[in-house]
Every structure is written in C-alpha cells, then in structure tokens.
Amino acid sequence: MATFITIGYGDSAGYDQTDPAIRDEAHRHDDRLCQLGVVMGIAGTAVQVRNHDGAQVDVTNGPFLRSELPVAGFAIIEAETVAEAVELVSKSPCAVCRGVVEVWPLQTPM
C-alpha cells in the first residue's frame, strides 16, 4: 500500500455554483473516506519556516505557495496505485465544485 498526500484547492464562488445535491454527495463521500481511515482536514492559516544553515529560525506569516485558487484542505490517503488515489479524491468537494485536487505520492514514508 502506498501513501499519497492530497491538496485540495477551491473557493466559495465555485462551491456556490455547484448544485447543492452534488455538493452534499461530495461531503458524504469525504465522510465515507474518513470512516475508512483517511486523515483529512481544512487548511488553516499557513506560516513559512526558514532556518538557513541552522543559524536562526525565521517565521513568516502566510503561505509560500501561490495558486489561482486558495488551498482548501489536505488528506493522507493509502491506496495501491496513483489511479486508485485519483479515484478516491475524484468525488471530493474540491474536485466536483470547480476546484482541483493534487495527488502527491509520498516517496519516503516516515
């Protein structure tokens, strides 16, 4: 079994344009994933951490990453293949409500 990190991007404009029945089913899908053990959450406010050469920790408020849509949430998914991970996230709110979900294979599990 492989581990995948997913990043969901979306905004309220896209969410609000999506039929409420489709949104509700997407949230039920996420609830089912959580019941299967997927760890997911809504993105909070980011901070950037730097400690160049181990000399001094510098913390800056705000994300480093920039995108068209704001980061909406994250999940950690276990799946046999990237195709299976894609199938699992393809029904999530970010994917169906005019957003996007990135699927990143975790190369070196901790």
Side-chain angles (χ1 to χ4, degrees), residues 37-76:
V38 170
V39 177
M40 68 174 62
I42 297 170
T45 303
V47 296
Q48 301 171 37
V49 179
R50 291 175 179 79
N51 187 10
H52 296 175
D53 299 319
Q56 179 179 349
V57 175
D58 177 36
V59 178
T60 305
N61 290 324
F64 179 76
L65 175 74
R66 303 283 186 249
S67 67
E68 292 178 29
L69 295 169
V71 174
F74 302 92
I76 302 169

Side-chain angles (χ1 to χ4, degrees), residues 2-13:
T3 301
F4 298 88
I5 305 299
T6 68
I7 306 171
Y9 302 85
D11 61 13
S12 56

Side-chain angles (χ1 to χ4, degrees), residues 12-110:
S12 56
Y15 185 84
D16 292 342
Q17 291 175 17
T18 304
D19 181 287
I22 293 171
R23 293 190 316 236
D24 292 346
E25 179 52 36
H27 287 291
R28 285 191 293 274
H29 173 74
D30 275 3
D31 290 342
R32 288 189 295 273
L33 290 180
C34 287
Q35 290 172 0
L36 293 172
V38 170
V39 177
M40 68 174 62
I42 297 170
T45 303
V47 296
Q48 301 171 37
V49 179
R50 291 175 179 79
N51 187 10
H52 296 175
D53 299 319
Q56 179 179 349
V57 175
D58 177 36
V59 178
T60 305
N61 290 324
F64 179 76
L65 175 74
R66 303 283 186 249
S67 67
E68 292 178 29
L69 295 169
V71 174
F74 302 92
I76 302 169
I77 294 176
E78 299 289 331
E80 292 294 332
T81 64
V82 70
E84 182 183 353
V86 167
E87 175 62 26
L88 289 171
V89 302
S90 68
K91 297 174 183 86
S92 69
C94 284
V96 301
C97 296
R98 296 177 169 83
V100 64
V101 179
E102 293 179 334
V103 176
W104 293 69
L106 188 60
Q107 297 294 317
T108 309
M110 302 297 273

